[in-house]
């Protein structure tokens, strides 16, 4: 890139967080550049320093406890020339933020104010930075909503955040970020919680806006697959330092650092079936000084040792499907009333689950996949009657769950457990995790006393790769991956026969996700569990599942062997889900680079 196209130069940046006990260098002597029309992908796990890097550029690190203690952040402003952001006053930063450098945060629901309409919130940014009246600001906002391809932009202008979908909220955030046509757009994990199809449209939208406005984009994520679709160059961060950086093609074709290799390998591959997923630890080697050194193993070296052949899989399935089903779902319906009339009568219904039937066999993992709103989570909850079915039957080991009284149902629930999507909201913040795991054992009278239960809880914690000291800690003291392990241990405490995993890894880093998926498979082999595995991520479902059920608008779109569905999808809906997955294959990256270059020439 030519010198006059430079937008941002980060030079030897250091950002520290100080507590009474220690000082942590969250960002430790990092340097990179960003130019006009360029996208730089900053990749790493939680705690790698990637989000602190973006907050440093915006000067949004909370002080105390955080502070930029070294280096420069040179922003090349159109109006003022090169500026060192580190040295600006807060007033000068406010003029830059939103106006020349804008940011899209990870969670749009918490970024949008629930008491103001979407339109008012975007208008506020326009009125703050542009000298226009409310009428003009409203028209600019509606035009922005059209530009980010929001349906019914006038209606969404008057809608509150809770009234629109996750993908639509993220588009509102993009419209807000674009409202003053910034030179730099920082996107911090903007697609993590979105369906793959919505994610694909958001990525396409960002590239379109970049071309039209010649923006530089800093895209922060833990998923190298997403980076492959979007970035020109990649910065890989680990424990506050840059361990590798280069063009997207170089990083994917020839990763040098063991940490980069681990990140590339731990995403479930689509073109092969593995016994378990490699993790970052499989590539790490350390020198005598405790520093990581280059690993001689390639990603292919590791994954090729783990491949399951079709013959092995067919032999296992022949035994599996010779058994009697453990669960039979027959014509299940779950409708929610809407548009209640004057006397409370429903005028219409949302058919969340609409006449669905399938069997699940002992020891099987059945994957349920589809976009948000397809009915997969409602179906999982209807099995346990956490949502009451409108019609149909759920037969577990010969017992029709839909016909049970509540007392009998509570007793049966110890045999069918559920692991929810958000482990933090699943755990009571006021009780220790030891108590949280013991509580269902006490309710169901598992073991004779609390001493025996405590011993069992400690065994379970060790089984999910935690330790005895964790028994006495509270949920907020753990990472997302650790909290999900705690929820798995709690589900195991009742010795269930059947576990429903509802989006149980969707919010985790890909490396932590790989560890949790491996753990679930290990536990299945050890305890002979049967799973229904619910996710919007088809690559994860394909890795975990024997068979797959694809859902759309409350109904089954198609059902069959997971590999067969991926290799030979029968419906356009399933093909769309598969095509939207960021695959990270070299031919896809090359095609993406060629496409971006041709569009830039135009």
């Amino acid at each position: 890139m030519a010198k006059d196209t430079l937008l941002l130069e980060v030079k030897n940046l250091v950002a520290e967080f100080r507590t009474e006990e220690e000082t942590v260098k969250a960002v430790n002597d990092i340097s990179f550049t960003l130019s006009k029309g360029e996208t730089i992908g900053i990749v790493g796990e939680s705690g790698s320093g990637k989000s602190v890097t973006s907050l440093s550029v915006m000067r949004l690190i909370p002080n105390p406890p955080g502070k930029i203690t070294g280096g420069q952040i040179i922003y090349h402003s159109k109006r003022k020339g090169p500026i060192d952001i580190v040295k600006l006053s807060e007033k000068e930063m406010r003029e830059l933020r939103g106006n020349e450098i804008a940011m899209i945060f990870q969670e749009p629901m918490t970024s949008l104010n629930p008491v103001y309409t979407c339109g008012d919130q975007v208008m506020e940014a326009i009125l703050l930075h542009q000298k226009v009246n409310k009428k003009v600001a409203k028209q600019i906002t509606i035009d922005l909503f059209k530009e980010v391809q929001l349906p019914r932009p006038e209606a969404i202008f008057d809608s509150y955040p809770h009234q629109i979908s996750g993908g639509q909220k993220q588009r509102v955030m993009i419209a807000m970020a674009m409202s003053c046509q910034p030179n730099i757009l920082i996107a911090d994990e903007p697609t993590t919680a979105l369906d793959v199809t919505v994610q694909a449209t958001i990525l396409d939208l960002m590239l379109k806006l970049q071309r039209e406005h010649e923006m530089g984009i800093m895209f922060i994520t833990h998923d190298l697959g997403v980076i492959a679709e979007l970035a020109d160059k990649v910065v890989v961060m680990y424990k506050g330092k840059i361990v590798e950086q280069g063009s997207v093609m170089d990083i994917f074709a020839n990763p040098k650092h063991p940490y980069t290799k681990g990140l590339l390998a731990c995403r479930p591959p689509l073109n092969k079936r593995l016994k378990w997923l490699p993790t970052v630890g499989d590539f790490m080697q350390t020198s005598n000084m405790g520093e990581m050194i280059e690993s001689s193993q390639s990603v292919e070296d590791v994954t090729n040792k783990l491949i399951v052949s079709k013959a092995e899989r067919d032999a296992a399935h022949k035994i599996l499907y010779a058994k009697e089903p453990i669960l039979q779902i027959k014509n299940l319906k779950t409708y929610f009333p809407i548009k209640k009339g004057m006397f409370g009568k429903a005028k219409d219904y949302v058919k969340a689950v609409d006449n669905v039937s399938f069997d699940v066999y002992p020891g099987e993992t059945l994957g349920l996949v589809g976009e948000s709103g397809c009915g997969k989570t409602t179906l999982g909850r209807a099995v346990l009657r956490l949502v009451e079915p409108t019609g149909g039957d759920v037969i577990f080991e010969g017992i029709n769950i839909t016909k049970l009284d509540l007392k009998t149902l509570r007793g049966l629930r110890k045999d069918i457990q559920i692991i929810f999507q958000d482990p933090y909201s699943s755990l009571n913040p006021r009780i220790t995790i030891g108590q949280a795991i013991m509580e269902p054992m006490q309710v169901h009278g598992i073991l004779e006393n609390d001493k025996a239960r405590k011993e069992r809880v400690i065994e379970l914690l060790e089984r999910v790769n935690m330790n005895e000291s964790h028994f006495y800690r509270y949920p907020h003291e753990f990472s997302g991956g650790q909290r999900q392990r705690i929820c798995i241990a709690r589900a195991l405490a009742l010795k269930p026969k059947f576990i429903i995993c509802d989006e149980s890894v969707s919010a985790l880093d890909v490396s932590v996700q790989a560890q949790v998926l491996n753990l679930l498979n290990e536990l299945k082999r050890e305890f002979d569990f049967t799973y229904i595995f619910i996710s919007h991520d088809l690559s994860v479902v394909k890795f975990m599942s024997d068979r797959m059920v694809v859902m759309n608008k409350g109904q089954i779109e198609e059902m069959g062997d997971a590999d067969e569905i991926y290799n030979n999808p029968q419906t356009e809906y399933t093909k769309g889900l598969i095509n939207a997955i960021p695959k990270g294959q070299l031919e896809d990256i090359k095609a993406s680079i060629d496409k971006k270059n041709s569009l830039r020439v135009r």
Side-chain angles (χ1 to χ4, degrees):
M1 294 282 179
K3 187 76 176 173
D4 61 352
T5 66
L6 264 179
L7 285 175
L8 191 71
E9 295 175 90
V10 175
K11 299 179 178 180
N12 309 110
L13 179 67
V14 180
E16 297 180 348
F17 286 80
R18 293 177 182 174
T19 65
E20 290 179 5
E21 291 83 25
E22 61 179 340
T23 298
V24 176
K25 287 188 177 180
V27 172
N28 190 1
D29 194 24
I30 69 167
S31 302
F32 62 87
T33 62
L34 176 68
S35 297
K36 284 181 186 177
E38 182 178 54
T39 300
I40 184 169
I42 302 181
V43 192
E45 299 170 283
S46 295
S48 64
K50 59 189 189 298
S51 289
V52 176
T53 301
S54 67
L55 292 172
S56 298
V57 173
M58 292 291 283
R59 282 270 304 277
L60 288 174
I61 294 177
N63 183 12
K67 190 178 181 183
I68 296 171
T69 58
Q72 296 176 296
I73 304 171
I74 308 298
Y75 167 60
H76 293 260
S77 170
K78 286 179 185 174
R79 294 178 293 123
K80 298 180 180 178
I83 304 166
D84 188 353
I85 284 174
V86 176
K87 294 179 179 175
L88 294 184
S89 68
E90 184 54 35
K91 183 183 176 184
E92 289 169 320
M93 269 314 298
R94 278 198 298 269
E95 290 175 8
L96 277 187
R97 279 192 213 115
N99 194 15
E100 295 194 48
I101 307 174
M103 189 162 182
I104 307 166
F105 292 96
Q106 180 172 354
E107 180 44 71
M109 192 65 212
T110 55
S111 302
L112 292 168
N113 192 324
V115 300
Y116 291 101
T117 65
C118 296
D120 281 341
Q121 294 186 63
V122 178
M123 268 180 62
E124 183 182 18
I126 294 166
L127 291 168
L128 182 66
H129 290 291
Q130 300 182 39
K131 294 176 181 179
V132 295
N133 58 37
K134 283 191 174 183
K135 185 179 178 182
V136 174
K138 180 176 181 178
Q139 189 55 52
I140 292 171
T141 301
I142 290 170
D143 290 343
L144 281 165
F145 284 176
K146 289 176 183 173
E147 190 175 5
V148 298
Q149 298 163 21
L150 276 165
R152 303 172 296 106
E154 288 83 1
I156 286 181
F157 183 94
D158 294 319
S159 298
Y160 290 89
H162 72 273
Q163 295 175 307
I164 60 177
S165 72
Q168 288 172 339
K169 282 194 278 279
Q170 199 59 285
R171 287 167 191 266
V172 170
M173 289 298 298
I174 292 172
M176 190 185 296
M178 294 301 302
S179 61
C180 296
Q181 298 188 1
N183 294 327
I184 298 174
L185 179 65
I186 301 171
D188 186 4
E189 301 269 17
T191 61
T192 297
L194 302 180
D195 296 335
V196 284
T197 48
V198 179
Q199 174 179 273
T201 58
I202 294 292
L203 296 180
D204 284 344
L205 173 62
M206 290 179 71
L207 286 172
K208 172 179 172 288
L209 294 171
Q210 181 184 45
R211 286 194 303 272
E212 291 171 0
H213 301 282
E214 277 201 304
M215 290 186 305
I217 295 178
M218 274 176 62
F219 194 94
I220 290 142
T221 183
H222 61 259
D223 189 345
L224 273 162
V226 172
I227 288 296
E229 306 275 310
L230 190 74
D232 299 294
K233 63 185 183 186
V234 183
V235 169
V236 183
M237 291 191 68
Y238 177 71
K239 292 186 177 179
K241 292 189 174 185
I242 292 174
V243 294
E244 188 165 2
Q245 65 176 305
S247 74
V248 67
M249 199 67 185
D250 286 343
I251 295 292
F252 276 79
N254 190 25
K256 294 285 194 301
H257 199 276
Y259 182 69
T260 311
K261 293 177 184 179
L263 286 182
L264 284 167
C266 62
R267 178 100 180 130
L270 289 160
N271 57 349
K272 59 187 89 169
R273 178 167 285 272
L274 304 183
K275 294 172 188 172
W276 67 86
L277 290 173
T279 62
V280 170
D282 292 322
F283 293 87
M284 295 295 203
Q285 295 180 13
T286 55
S287 66
N288 294 332
M289 303 295 292
E291 297 176 344
M292 273 185 293
I293 56 175
E294 185 177 329
S295 169
S296 59
Q297 291 192 105
S298 71
V299 173
E300 288 72 24
D301 288 339
V302 174
T303 56
N304 287 342
K305 295 173 189 173
L306 303 175
I307 291 174
V308 180
S309 70
K310 188 175 186 304
E312 288 176 278
R313 188 169 157 76
D314 289 346
H317 282 180
K318 190 174 181 180
I319 297 166
L320 180 65
Y321 297 120
K323 303 172 186 175
E324 289 295 313
I326 189 173
L327 181 75
Q328 295 170 286
I329 293 174
K330 298 181 177 180
N331 308 112
L332 188 65
K333 299 174 184 175
T334 306
Y335 297 171
F336 296 106
I338 54 171
K339 299 179 184 173
K340 290 193 174 180
M342 189 181 294
F343 301 104
K345 288 187 94 176
K347 290 185 176 179
D348 203 352
Y349 292 89
V350 172
K351 296 181 179 181
V353 178
D354 191 13
N355 202 32
V356 167
S357 301
F358 58 82
D359 297 337
V360 188
Y361 293 83
E364 179 182 29
T365 298
L366 182 82
L368 277 184
V369 69
E371 298 172 289
S372 295
C374 72
K376 58 189 186 296
T377 290
T378 302
L379 193 155
R381 294 183 180 211
V383 168
L384 275 166
R385 275 178 58 192
L386 297 175
V387 173
E388 285 293 339
T390 306
D393 299 305
V394 178
I395 300 166
F396 178 73
E397 292 191 322
I399 299 167
N400 194 335
I401 292 174
T402 62
K403 302 290 194 287
L404 296 181
D405 60 78
L406 288 176
K407 184 178 178 183
T408 311
L409 177 63
R410 274 196 295 270
L412 185 70
R413 279 183 179 154
K414 72 180 176 62
D415 291 329
I416 309 176
Q417 286 291 293
I418 187 165
I419 302 168
F420 294 101
Q421 177 174 359
D422 182 1
Y424 194 73
S425 59
S426 305
L427 296 166
N428 187 332
R430 296 185 177 185
I431 65 173
T432 64
I433 65 154
Q435 290 173 291
I437 298 169
M438 275 176 64
E439 188 178 41
M441 298 170 75
Q442 291 165 335
V443 168
H444 289 281
I446 306 290
L447 301 177
E448 59 218 29
N449 56 44
D450 279 352
K451 183 183 177 185
R453 292 182 190 115
K454 181 180 176 182
E455 288 173 1
R456 172 68 177 150
V457 170
I458 290 167
E459 284 174 21
L460 289 169
L461 285 172
E462 289 172 349
R463 185 63 199 83
V464 298
N465 302 322
M466 299 185 75
N467 60 55
E468 184 177 345
S469 67
H470 294 143
F471 183 97
Y472 305 98
R473 296 187 189 174
Y474 289 86
H476 73 273
E477 298 179 77
F478 296 94
S479 69
Q482 287 174 318
R483 283 196 286 264
Q484 199 57 284
R485 289 171 187 273
I486 292 162
C487 290
I488 291 169
R490 185 173 61 179
L492 296 178
L494 298 177
K495 296 185 176 178
K497 299 173 184 175
F498 200 109
I499 297 178
I500 297 170
C501 302
D502 184 11
E503 298 275 15
S504 52
V505 296
S506 63
L508 304 179
D509 290 341
V510 284
S511 54
V512 178
Q513 174 183 280
Q515 293 166 18
V516 172
L517 294 177
N518 288 341
L519 174 63
L520 288 169
N521 278 334
E522 283 173 26
L523 294 170
K524 177 185 169 182
R525 287 190 291 270
E526 187 175 332
F527 297 104
D528 200 26
F529 290 137
T530 305
Y531 288 133
I532 287 180
F533 193 91
I534 299 167
S535 179
H536 64 260
D537 189 335
L538 196 142
S539 60
V540 169
V541 171
K542 177 183 174 292
F543 167 72
M544 289 294 291
S545 304
D546 298 291
R547 285 184 304 146
M548 191 190 297
V549 174
V550 182
M551 289 191 68
N552 182 24
K553 296 179 181 175
Q555 297 182 326
I556 292 176
E557 190 79 14
E558 62 181 295
M559 175 168 58
D561 180 86
D563 288 1
E564 286 294 321
I565 285 180
Y566 175 75
N567 292 324
N568 189 24
Q570 298 300 302
T571 69
E572 290 303 315
Y573 178 78
T574 309
K575 288 174 186 174
L577 282 181
I578 291 167
N579 290 336
I581 301 168
K583 297 173 179 64
Q585 301 297 317
L586 293 180
E587 57 269 26
D588 297 319
I589 297 168
K590 189 172 186 310
S592 179
I593 292 168
D594 291 343
K595 181 183 173 185
K596 281 187 279 190
N597 288 339
S598 68
L599 289 165
R600 280 170 184 153
V601 169
R602 286 181 214 170

